[in-house]
Amino acid sequence: MLVVQKYGGTSVGSLERIQNVANKVAKNKDENKDLVVVVSAMSGETNKLIDYAHYFSKNPSPREMDLLLSSGERVTAALLAIALNEMGYKAIALTGRQAGITTDTTHTYARIKEIKTDRIKKEIEDGNIVIVAGFQGINDKGEITTLGRGGSDLSAVALAGALSADACEIYSDVDGVYTTDPRIEPKAKKLDFISYDEMLELSSLGAKVLQNRSVELAKKMGVKIIAKSTFSDNEGTIIADKKEGEDMEELLVSGVALDKNQARVSLRGVTDRPGIAAEIFEKLAQKNINVDMIIQNASKDGKTNLGFTIPQNQLLEAKKVIESFDHDLEGSDYDEWVAKVSVVGVGMKSHSGVAAVAFKALADNNINIEMISTSEIKISMIIDEKFGELAVRLLHEAYGLDK
Ligand code: ADP
Ligand code: ASP
Ligand code: MG
């Protein structure tokens, strides 16, 4: 039996905790499992390295950033191997490159292209526990790349897929996927099972318990993920195809997510001519600005209002783009202090009136909804950031998720 395990930043956050992980890994090895263990950097380490770079430059080279950031995961990988060796276990630590992970050339947000598994397979055959530094790979030019924040989850899923592992266990400081972030709503309930589609929505909408790209890849490759706690032996949450959960009653709503990393751009008096929206959003796309929700009002006297949301850290870049359209609009406003709160569930498809429950719950508590977007399995609302946590609790209760 081959299992890929991934231990996140909090799980390896101190030397004692790395020893704790070594003990857990050793116990699994004693049960005769073949193990590939992916590790994150110690918690806070990646942010610290980013701050170091920003001490010297507002705009450091992405290539150098990748070289810098990949170091955090190497430290924990090597330390875990050293700890296991000391306990009498055969273990070897590998960088992303040594593990055969190749990516495209997009520095700091690279996509995995291929994993050559020969080296890992050989090390397993030699009896080694293989420890892999997460979050990194190498591109065609031989340059180190990283996979975007939270990217060690992606390393683990990709390795599990490439090695046809029996399972991919993602260990963190929570013992599974909950109906919402248990730090915001202590009444949140742990789910035994969640489908890839629902998990993908939850993680894309802010639930960082799993990185969204890792869920997307797991679905594509059919990798079964089990989210578990490093600090308890509780059963975790299975993330897999719908089939496995068929016997479970279909829940209307499976969870609520909060994303505070949102900013809103409002354009007033935009000249309403064909092609204007295309021009604006094309230019934003050229700058890799991720536009999420868009609202355009009915036009009046040849003018219209246009609003959209983007990630907070792209606001400056977006302002520059909008300034280049000065001649086509009367004015623009920017609001950093917005949050997106979302309700997710495959059961929504077949029920009408689901959205109204959310709107009422917020309205009854005087929370103004600034933008709305819906799909078959989610409702997202933009609200004032200071009401983010409250809105999560209200929606959690309104849909009876605490029951
Ligand atoms: P790691 O550092 O191990 O990758 P993360 O901090 O990225 O772990 O993810 C775990 C955190 O995700 C939890 O501490 C929890 O606060 C947060 N979280 C957000 N939404 C959820 C949810 N629906 N279920 C469980 N945890 C969630
Ligand atoms: N260390 C990286 C981050 O903090 C990757 C990860 O932990 O998954 O984003
Ligand atoms: Mg994470």
Side-chain angles (χ1 to χ4, degrees), residues 65-67 69-70 103 106-111 135-137 144-148 213:
M65 283 309 280
D66 274 350
L67 186 60
L69 297 189
S70 67
T103 73
T106 325
H107 280 294
T108 75
Y109 205 73
R111 293 196 159 265
F135 177 54
Q136 57 189 276
I144 292 171
T145 50
T146 63
L147 308 176
R213 285 168 61 199

Side-chain angles (χ1 to χ4, degrees), residues 47-167:
N47 287 340
K48 192 182 87 185
L49 294 170
I50 292 172
D51 288 347
Y52 281 179
H54 287 158
Y55 176 83
F56 299 103
S57 165
K58 263 197 214 144
N59 197 12
S61 134
R63 179 199 177 273
E64 312 309 324
M65 283 309 280
D66 274 350
L67 186 60
L68 178 68
L69 297 189
S70 67
S71 69
E73 270 66 12
R74 294 172 179 218
V75 169
T76 40
L79 291 176
L80 181 58
I82 291 168
L84 282 161
N85 289 336
E86 187 61 25
M87 292 164 73
Y89 290 83
K90 278 184 81 178
I92 183 166
L94 304 175
T95 65
R97 170 196 209 139
Q98 291 171 323
I101 301 176
T102 54
T103 73
D104 67 10
T105 53
T106 325
H107 280 294
T108 75
Y109 205 73
R111 293 196 159 265
I112 295 179
K113 286 204 326 204
E114 197 195 347
I115 301 186
K116 295 198 182 75
T117 53
D118 334 358
R119 173 76 189 269
I120 293 184
K121 283 184 177 150
K122 182 186 157 286
E123 298 299 347
I124 293 174
E125 265 161 38
D126 288 352
N128 274 304
I129 301 169
V130 182
I131 319 285
V132 179
F135 177 54
Q136 57 189 276
I138 187 147
N139 68 23
D140 295 347
K141 296 177 190 149
E143 303 284 14
I144 292 171
T145 50
T146 63
L147 308 176
R149 297 308 302 269
S152 296
D153 293 346
L154 184 63
S155 309
V157 168
L159 284 167
L163 293 162
S164 305
D166 295 284

Side-chain angles (χ1 to χ4, degrees), residues 6 150 153 208:
K6 178 255 169 177
D153 293 346
K208 70 167 183 167

Side-chain angles (χ1 to χ4, degrees), residues 202-362:
L202 277 182
S203 54
S204 305
L205 294 167
K208 70 167 183 167
V209 58
L210 288 174
Q211 190 222 31
N212 59 340
R213 285 168 61 199
S214 73
V215 182
E216 198 177 8
L217 188 68
K219 180 181 175 179
K220 201 162 122 193
M221 300 185 85
V223 172
K224 177 165 127 184
I225 300 180
I226 308 167
K228 285 183 158 182
S229 165
T230 308
F231 307 106
S232 81
D233 289 322
N234 295 350
E235 271 188 35
T237 302
I238 295 173
I239 299 103
D241 260 329
K242 196 76 202 119
K243 279 169 257 142
E244 277 194 47
E246 243 166 23
D247 52 328
M248 288 181 40
E249 201 180 323
E250 185 149 274
L251 294 171
L252 182 65
V253 165
S254 54
V256 178
L258 176 66
D259 181 356
K260 292 179 129 188
N261 175 34
Q262 293 274 315
R264 190 184 49 162
V265 180
S266 313
L267 309 181
R268 278 176 285 111
V270 185
T271 319
D272 197 12
R273 59 174 168 81
I276 178 75
E279 279 173 41
I280 294 175
F281 291 115
E282 237 166 51
K283 211 145 182 204
L284 289 165
Q286 277 165 12
K287 297 282 173 197
N288 288 319
I289 296 171
N290 263 315
V291 176
D292 182 17
M293 285 191 213
I294 304 175
I295 288 188
Q296 183 175 349
N297 290 39
S299 82
K300 212 178 137 203
D301 305 328
K303 304 269 184 196
T304 183
N305 294 335
L306 194 60
F308 54 90
T309 61
I310 54 171
Q312 227 170 55
N313 59 359
Q314 296 190 308
L315 196 56
L316 274 183
E317 198 70 32
K319 267 188 191 170
K320 274 195 234 154
V321 171
I322 298 305
E323 273 160 21
S324 71
F325 283 94
D326 258 357
H327 50 283
D328 262 319
L329 43 113
E330 282 165 6
S332 52
D333 298 306
Y334 303 89
D335 189 353
E336 258 185 87
W337 306 109
V338 295
K340 178 166 67 180
V341 58
S342 308
V343 179
V344 171
V346 289
M348 280 185 199
K349 279 191 250 198
S350 49
H351 292 74
S352 55
V354 181
V357 174
F359 305 153
K360 182 160 188 324
L362 299 189

